[in-house]
Amino acid sequence: MSGTIMDRRALLLGAGSAGLGMALGPYAARAVAAPLRFVYADNVVPFSYADADGNATGLLKDDVDIVTSAAGYSQTTSLMPWGRAQAMVRAGQADGFCTVPSADRAAYVQFCLQPVMTSDIGIWHRRDDDRFKSIGSLEELAAFRLGSYVGNGWATEHVDAIPTLAVVPEPVSVLKMLAAGRIDAFVHDELQMGYLARAAGLTGTLAYTPRPFLGQVVRTLAIRRSLPDCAAVVAALDAAILARRADLDALARRVRLGMA
């Protein structure tokens, strides 16, 4: 991703600070050097992973750089297993993360109202298999051999009880199982799996079909409720997300098109 990271930094630096100050309104006055300690799941390509020097990189980190900078903050970053990352925020040892809102997490963090990125959930299948274009419910989907990976929250919630569900340690193995015909379908969002399918050379074999009943993945910034002025920080971040929406969408588009 090194070449694309340079492009992303250009986006960060080239947006025009005067225009941002006007867009952020009263929150522009909050522009102080206040580092926010963000934690990220390790090795979740392309969202968060370590670069060649061991530093946090990826789409989520780039998005948070854009938002915090526009809101007058900076961020420090740490990579770790996702369970530990959440525990760090819960204990006040880190200030925030970017993930899918849930009731459990909302007990100890305040989520921004504006999402950082949204991607459709769809069905990954072999390119020569047209059976999934008309699927309209989970009940219909359950008739097929499905695959998933350890830690896939959507699958755990929605299809974990299906007897034919094959679960493997990581997502690339699911894509390879699908390409080999060992399973029929894999439910996931387009953004992450499209990136991994390209990297594994599987885009000629696999296809993605979005289905409205599967919903979306909405990734949102969250700040620990125990942070002083938490509500004000979240409000500033929300305003920054609105002001920099075009830049955030542009980064996601680059990943979707295989430019990252």
Side-chain angles (χ1 to χ4, degrees):
M1 287 182 65
S2 57
T4 302
I5 290 172
M6 291 300 295
D7 291 339
R8 291 173 179 169
R9 288 173 181 165
L11 280 174
L12 280 169
L13 296 173
S17 58
L20 278 175
M22 185 176 297
L24 290 173
Y27 300 112
R30 201 178 300 279
V32 293
L36 294 170
R37 300 169 298 172
F38 274 85
V39 286
Y40 298 89
D42 55 356
N43 200 30
V44 183
V45 179
F47 298 116
S48 56
Y49 57 98
D51 64 16
D53 297 319
N55 299 314
T57 189
L59 180 57
L60 284 184
K61 192 264 182 184
D62 290 344
D63 280 345
V64 177
D65 273 339
I66 287 176
V67 175
T68 53
S69 176
Y73 298 97
S74 59
Q75 70 159 323
T76 62
T77 60
S78 298
L79 288 170
M80 61 192 70
W82 182 231
R84 181 184 165 201
Q86 294 175 91
M88 292 274 288
V89 175
R90 189 184 300 111
Q93 298 170 334
D95 298 323
F97 46 54
C98 186
T99 190
V100 178
S102 70
D104 289 345
R105 294 173 185 138
Y108 62 92
V109 297
Q110 182 174 337
F111 282 95
C112 287
L113 297 176
Q114 302 296 326
V116 168
M117 75 176 79
T118 302
S119 54
D120 291 333
I121 300 173
I123 303 171
W124 286 89
H125 54 89
R126 287 182 298 284
R127 192 168 291 280
D128 59 0
D129 189 346
D130 293 330
R131 294 176 294 173
F132 300 97
K133 294 180 180 179
S134 60
I135 293 291
S137 70
L138 288 176
E139 289 73 22
E140 293 179 57
L141 196 58
F144 295 91
R145 298 173 301 163
L146 304 179
S148 185
Y149 60 91
V150 176
N152 181 355
W154 187 94
T156 300
E157 181 178 353
H158 295 284
V159 296
D160 196 47
I162 296 176
T164 57
L165 181 69
V167 180
V168 295
E170 46 80 32
V172 175
S173 294
V174 189
L175 294 173
K176 291 179 178 179
M177 288 171 62
L178 182 57
R182 294 168 55 196
I183 58 174
D184 299 317
F186 174 31
V187 178
H188 212 283
D189 77 300
E190 177 189 15
L191 198 59
Q192 183 181 13
M193 290 308 120
Y195 183 96
L196 295 178
R198 283 191 297 273
L202 298 175
T203 53
T205 305
L206 301 182
Y208 167 81
T209 299
R211 299 302 301 147
F213 74 93
L214 292 172
Q216 295 180 315
V217 178
V218 179
R219 293 178 173 89
T220 307
L221 284 175
I223 300 296
R224 63 181 171 92
R225 293 185 181 276
S226 60
L227 183 73
D229 296 324
C230 169
V233 173
V234 169
L237 296 176
D238 260 325
I241 292 168
L242 284 172
R244 299 297 295 269
R245 173 60 63 197
D247 293 336
L248 297 172
D249 290 346
L251 291 186
R253 193 176 305 114
R254 291 182 66 84
V255 172
R256 188 172 283 110
L257 295 175
M259 299 169 66

